[in-house]
Each structure stands twice: as structure tokens, then as C-alpha cells.
């Protein structure tokens, strides 16, 4: 019985190798073993502190009511209040949200932010909702959460299927439930619109943070972004900013895929035109600046960087066999299955891990929360400079740990985070 299995046995669970939550905790506990992190901390981190499930009705435009299931999982708050995205998607379920909440704990610790990890979600497809239905659903979810969210306790942010408008509705609902909250209440969510307490640079933050990491790590592989060819799966918030910002640095985007199809242009796809097209049409299919290709053709296309920026576990063994790249840069959370990870590594593909690469989002969310608390607005150059500094420091910590432990970057990133959490637990002790 390995360490993860024995931790789960102690918690009364049977290890299930096909479950994403077990994979996530497995990665965390394998890193913990490398650092000889005490068993008591491993047990604490193997389960979230709180798992909230709510059911709430929403009136649809046709007058009928539908019942929805909403989640908020608060994994750990030893470093500070809970922080993590809110997802509206059909694939949302409890273990999925638990995994994403645990990852948020690691990300905040890796960046040394004074925040803990959480995640929320509602199982639904926002693409099939009118704006009014979406607003009513968002407000009911917020009221169902009650005081389980708040600017000093747990602050959601945008994720798959949610955006700044949804964050504004959450803040407005939270404040309306108790008008005394109106001054500090705006900090209940981040990723808000600029005109209502949002931060400059939040929309592009995840993509921007990834670019800072890639710029630091590529020279280690004797590579640079100049003329570097890359392909992307997912052209939503994260993917479209990664595309635009990498091209601004001289890289060339030659293939893109999403839920509507796959397109390719050997001479380079214009990332700005594609972003405008996707905003209007909802997906990359039919974009005139590139040719339609099959999924197989997309994955077999030779590139220097392959960047998954869509949903979790999309890169399985079948796709890993086809992928033809030097470096796989994880923009989405947990985009690669453990088996695909092994296969890619055996093919000599270096993986830049998501907990580092996409931590720019939570970092600028932290900046937004700080600005709200201080009633300040920072200029974009200030945000970018602070983001670059924190991303570079975290990248160096990961590089150093990987050299010290002679391990891959993913294990090193988890080790850096766990070391920090362990130090704080040692100092704080376990209550009472
Ligand atoms: P989004 O909803 O804006 O975009 C999701 C993208 O995935 C879309 O382009 C969609 O077409 C694509 N997609 C969905 N199903 C697909 C399928 N079956 N095949 C191919 N493509 C598919 O979401 P986002 O905010 O860009 O988030 C993407 C990933 O990045 C998620 O893993 C999210 O948790 C992670 N992330 C997001 C942020 C953030 O700030 N938004 C921060 C950190 C991590």
C-alpha cells in the first residue's frame, strides 16, 4: 500500500485511481513524502475543511422553475481567507470542485499569497441561458451561500463559464443582503468589471503570468519565444490572452482548437482577430484566417510549445501519443491525465506545471482584493510589475527545488508550496 492509499485508508476512503480528486491528492502527497512532511499535515490536506452543497430554484424565462445544485469547497485557510474561482459548467461535480479547491491551496502557497484555497460551481451550461436567467441563477447561488462567502472569509472569482458581469451580480447581491456591508462588501469577489472595483490587468492576468513563467523557463531548454511555434486548445479567457501575449513576444500561433473545432495556419494565426471572432461567434470554427483541420491533425502538428487552456484531464494517453512538441505548458488546471503525463515525459516532453503557469490569475485577484480593502486603484504598469516580480520569484523557487530534489517541475512546485504550508502550521500549531 503506497502513502496516498494509507492516508485515504486512515480517512476511511478506498483509493480510486480513476477519480480526479485522488489524482490531485496523490500528486500532493507524493511531494509531501519527498519533503518528509508530517503525517498529520498530510491527513489535513487530504480533505477539504468545508464542503457546501446547496440546491436552489430559479425561474426561467418561459415561467417554469428549475432546481440547481451549487457547490463551494473550502480546502484550507491556514495562510489566509479562502480564494478560488466559480465555475458554471455541465461537468461540475463535487470531487471535481474538491480537486480544484486543493489546487488553489497549493497555488496560493507557491506564490506566498496570504490566501487559502477554495472553488465553487454550479452544474449547468451557461451557453443555453439568457442574460436574465444567468443573473437570477447567480443571485440565488449567492444568497444560498449566505455568510459562507465574504471579503474576510472566502472570495470567489471568474473561472470556466463565469465572467466579470457575474462577479458584479455576486457583489451586488451580497451587499443587498445586508446594506451594512456596502463599504467593504465589494471585496467579496474579484475579477469584477473595472468600473466596479475591478483591477487593471485582471482579465489578462492568467495569460500574462504564464508568459512571465515561460520567459523564465525556456532559456533552461535553450529555447526562446522568438519565432517559437505554438498551438493552443481552448480560446476562452485564458487561451485567448496566452495567444495574444505570446505573439506579442514574437512567438507564432499556428493551430487552435476548442469545443467547436480545430483550425490551422502554417504562416501564423492572428490572435487578435481570432479573439474578436470567438467573442462574436462563440468558437474558433469558421474563422477565415485559418484552415479547418481534424482533431488528429491538430494534435499531430509539430510545434515547440503545446498549450492546453481548456478543461481538466483533456490530454489523455491517446492525445499524448499524437502530441508533437518540446514543451507542454499547462494553462488549464490539471489538463493532463497521470498516464498521459508519464507518456509525454518518456517521449522527452518537458511539462511546465499549471500550479505555477496559471497562478497569475489568483495573484492579480489578490491585488484586486488589496486595492478594494485600501480603496485604491493601481495603474496597469504597477499591476504588471508586481505580477512579474511575484511570478519570477515563484519560478525561481520551483527551479531551485527541482535542482535540490532532482525532480520534475510539477513535483518541485508542490514541494515549494507544501514547505511553506508546513512552516505556517508549525508556527500556528493546531487549535486548541
Ligand atoms: P473559459 O470558459 O473562458 O474558456 C474555456 C475554453 O475551453 C473555451 O475556449 C472552450 O471552447 C474550451 N473548451 C471547452 N470544452 C472543450 C472541449 N471539449 N474541447 C476543446 N475545447 C473545449 O475558461 P477559462 O477561464 O479560460 O479557463 C480555462 C482553464 O484555465 C480552466 O482549467 C480554468 O480552471 C483555468 N484557469 C482559469 C483562470 C482564469 O483567470 N480564468 C485562472 C487560472 C486557471
Amino acid at each position: 500500500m503506497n502513502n496516498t492509499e494509507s492516508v485515504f485508508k486512515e480517512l476511511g476512503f478506498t483509493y480510486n485511481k480513476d477519480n480526479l480528486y485522488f489524482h490531485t491528492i496523490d500528486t500532493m502527497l507524493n511531494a509531501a513524502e519527498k519533503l518528509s512532511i508530517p503525517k498529520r499535515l498530510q491527513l489535513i490536506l487530504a480533505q477539504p475543511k468545508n464542503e457546501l452543497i446547496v440546491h436552489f430554484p430559479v425561474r426561467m424565462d418561459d415561467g417554469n422553475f428549475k432546481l440547481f445544485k451549487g457547490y463551494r469547497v473550502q480546502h484550507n485557510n491556514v495562510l489566509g481567507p479562502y480564494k478560488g474561482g466559480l465555475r458554471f459548467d455541465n461537468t461540475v461535480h463535487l470531487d471535481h470542485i474538491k480537486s480544484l479547491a486543493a489546487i488553489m491551496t497549493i497555488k496560493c502557497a507557491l506564490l506566498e499569497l496570504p490566501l487559502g484555497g477554495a472553488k465553487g460551481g454550479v452544474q449547468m451550461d451557461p451557453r443555453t441561458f439568457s442574460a436574465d436567467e444567468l443573473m437570477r441563477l447567480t443571485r440565488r447561488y449567492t444568497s444560498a451561500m449566505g455568510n459562507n462567502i465574504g471579503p474576510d472569509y472566502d472570495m470567489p472569482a471568474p473561472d470556466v463559464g463565469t465572467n466579470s458581469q457575474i462577479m458584479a451580480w455576486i457583489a451586488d447581491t451580497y451587499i443587498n443582503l445586508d446594506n451594512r456591508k456596502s463599504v467593504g462588501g465589494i471585496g467579496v469577489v474579484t475579477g469584477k468589471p473595472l468600473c466596479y472595483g475591478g483591477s487593471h490587468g485582471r482579465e489578462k492576468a492568467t495569460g500574462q503570468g504564464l508568459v512571465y513563467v515561460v520567459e523564465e523557463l525556456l532559456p533552461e531548454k535553450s529555447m526562446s519565444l522568438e519565432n517559437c511555434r505554438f498551438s493552443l486548445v481552448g480560446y476562452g479567457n485564458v487561451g485567448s490572452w496566452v495567444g495574444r501575449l505570446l505573439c506579442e513576444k514574437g512567438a507564432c500561433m499556428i493551430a487552435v482548437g476548442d469545443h467547436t473545432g480545430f483550425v490551422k495556419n502554417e504562416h501564423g494565426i492572428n490572435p487578435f482577430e481570432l479573439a474578436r471572432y470567438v467573442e462574436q461567434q462563440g468558437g474558433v470554427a469558421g474563422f477565415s484566417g485559418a484552415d479547418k483541420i481534424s482533431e488528429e491533425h491538430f494534435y499531430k502538428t509539430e510545434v515547440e510549445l503545446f498549450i492546453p487552456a481548456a478543461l481538466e484531464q483533456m490530454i489523455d494517453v491517446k492525445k499524448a501519443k499524437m502530441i508533437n512538441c518540446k514543451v507542454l505548458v499547462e494553462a488549464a488546471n490539471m489538463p493532463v491525465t497521470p498516464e498521459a503525463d508519464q507518456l509525454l515525459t518518456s517521449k522527452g516532453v518537458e511539462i511546465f506545471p499549471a500550479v505555477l503557469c496559471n497562478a497569475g490569475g489568483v495573484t492579480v485577484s489578490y491585488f484586486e482584493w488589496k486595492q478594494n480593502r485600501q480603496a485604491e486603484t493601481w495603474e496597469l504598469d504597477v499591476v504588471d510589475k508586481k505580477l512579474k516580480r511575484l511570478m519570477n520569484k515563484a519560478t525561481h523557487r520551483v527551479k531551485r527545488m527541482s535542482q535540490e530534489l532532482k525532480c520534475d517541475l510539477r513535483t518541485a512546485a508542490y514541494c515549494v508550496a507544501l514547505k511553506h504550508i508546513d512552516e505556517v502550521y508549525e508556527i500556528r500549531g493546531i487549535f486548541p
Side-chain angles (χ1 to χ4, degrees):
M1 186 183 293
N2 68 24
N3 181 47
T4 312
E5 285 167 356
S6 81
V7 168
F8 273 104
K9 188 163 179 242
E10 193 159 341
L11 292 168
F13 293 100
T14 310
Y15 184 81
N16 175 357
K17 71 174 181 44
D18 299 321
N19 182 312
L20 183 60
Y21 187 64
F22 288 85
H23 293 167
T24 313
I25 299 303
D26 203 21
T27 309
M28 197 186 279
L29 297 186
N30 284 340
E33 279 295 278
K34 276 202 171 297
L35 289 180
S36 306
I37 296 284
K39 190 75 179 281
R40 63 173 184 279
L41 179 53
Q42 298 194 29
L43 284 168
I44 291 172
L45 294 175
Q47 279 290 25
K49 274 197 156 177
N50 306 313
E51 299 172 27
L52 275 94
I53 302 180
V54 292
H55 296 97
F56 54 92
V58 176
R59 185 171 49 79
M60 308 306 282
D61 289 344
D62 64 6
N64 288 319
F65 284 83
K66 273 194 185 165
L67 194 74
F68 292 89
K69 195 189 267 290
Y71 302 91
R72 187 74 187 166
V73 173
Q74 296 160 335
H75 179 258
N76 190 277
N77 62 349
V78 74
L79 301 181
Y82 299 108
K83 186 92 195 79
L86 173 66
R87 176 172 297 200
F88 286 175
D89 194 79
N90 262 338
T91 61
V92 161
H93 60 88
L94 182 60
D95 278 344
H96 196 172
I97 297 294
K98 278 170 70 176
S99 305
L100 292 161
I103 296 264
M104 285 308 295
T105 299
I106 295 295
K107 242 184 260 186
C108 293
L110 173 57
L111 269 287
E112 293 190 354
L113 306 178
L115 298 170
K119 201 81 178 188
V122 181
Q123 196 187 73
M124 49 83 84
D125 180 1
R127 295 189 195 100
T128 62
F129 279 56
S130 72
D132 278 352
E133 288 170 338
L134 212 49
M135 182 183 71
R136 288 194 292 271
L137 178 133
T138 304
R139 290 190 186 282
R140 273 307 296 250
Y141 172 83
T142 309
S143 80
M145 284 293 127
N147 283 329
N148 290 300
I149 56 170
D152 297 321
Y153 185 64
D154 182 1
M155 300 81 70
D159 190 71
V160 174
T162 57
N163 55 25
S164 59
Q165 171 63 78
I166 287 171
M167 297 305 118
W169 286 329
I170 294 177
D172 182 70
T173 309
Y174 180 78
I175 288 166
N176 269 291
L177 289 174
D178 178 354
N179 269 324
R180 282 169 301 174
K181 290 172 181 159
S182 62
V183 177
I186 197 167
V188 64
V189 276
T190 56
K192 298 179 290 291
L194 254 186
C195 67
Y196 182 51
S199 174
H200 285 289
R202 175 58 186 92
E203 210 194 303
K204 65 163 185 157
T206 308
Q208 184 67 73
L210 179 141
V211 173
Y212 291 146
V213 173
V214 169
E215 276 181 312
E216 284 293 309
L217 291 179
L218 276 191
E220 308 270 312
K221 305 279 302 168
S222 308
M223 292 165 70
S224 85
L225 281 178
E226 197 58 43
N227 299 322
C228 178
R229 291 151 55 96
F230 71 94
S231 56
L232 259 171
V233 201
Y235 213 70
N237 174 294
V238 177
S240 69
W241 278 108
V242 167
R244 283 174 275 187
L245 295 166
L246 283 178
C247 289
E248 278 181 354
K249 291 281 175 188
C252 182
M253 183 166 83
I254 60 169
V256 182
D258 71 3
H259 70 286
T260 64
F262 298 87
V263 296
K264 178 175 171 183
N265 184 340
E266 274 294 339
H267 307 291
I269 297 171
N270 184 315
F272 296 91
E273 283 175 15
L274 183 61
R276 271 192 296 276
Y277 179 83
V278 169
E279 212 171 306
Q280 286 158 10
Q281 304 297 325
V284 302
F287 178 61
S288 61
D291 300 322
K292 179 181 172 186
I293 53 168
S294 67
E295 187 179 26
E296 191 177 335
H297 185 158
F298 172 80
Y299 281 102
K300 286 186 171 167
T301 297
E302 189 183 349
V303 280
E304 274 79 47
L305 308 181
F306 181 87
I307 311 175
L311 300 180
E312 292 74 34
Q313 304 287 286
M314 282 196 63
I315 309 301
D316 55 14
V317 168
K318 190 174 161 217
K319 285 172 185 153
K321 277 185 186 157
M322 295 192 272
I323 287 174
N324 189 357
C325 69
K326 293 198 171 83
V327 178
L328 185 142
V329 186
E330 295 183 339
N333 286 309
M334 302 175 288
V336 181
T337 67
E339 297 79 19
D341 187 316
Q342 271 177 15
L343 185 88
L344 287 163
T345 308
S346 71
K347 279 169 59 169
V349 173
E350 177 89 53
I351 300 180
F352 293 174
V355 284
L356 175 64
C357 293
N358 70 24
V362 68
T363 304
V364 177
S365 271
Y366 162 59
F367 296 160
E368 179 175 329
W369 179 69
K370 245 181 121 163
Q371 289 170 76
N372 291 160
R373 291 178 91 80
Q374 295 160 355
E376 278 187 9
T377 307
W378 303 349
E379 296 299 329
L380 179 60
D381 60 331
V382 175
V383 172
D384 279 347
K385 201 171 148 202
K386 284 175 185 280
L387 175 64
K388 184 167 190 194
R389 189 158 169 270
L390 291 193
M391 295 304 298
N392 285 355
K393 281 172 79 174
T395 308
H396 288 143
R397 284 196 285 273
V398 172
K399 272 202 281 192
R400 252 199 325 273
M401 184 65 87
S402 128
Q403 284 154 6
E404 264 171 38
L405 298 180
K406 297 188 182 20
C407 64
D408 59 80
L409 294 171
R410 190 191 310 285
T411 310
Y414 275 74
C415 284
V416 171
L418 290 169
K419 192 165 173 236
H420 181 43
I421 294 171
D422 184 32
E423 274 164 7
V424 176
Y425 263 105
E426 281 300 318
I427 292 289
R428 285 187 63 168
I430 308 267
F431 176 81

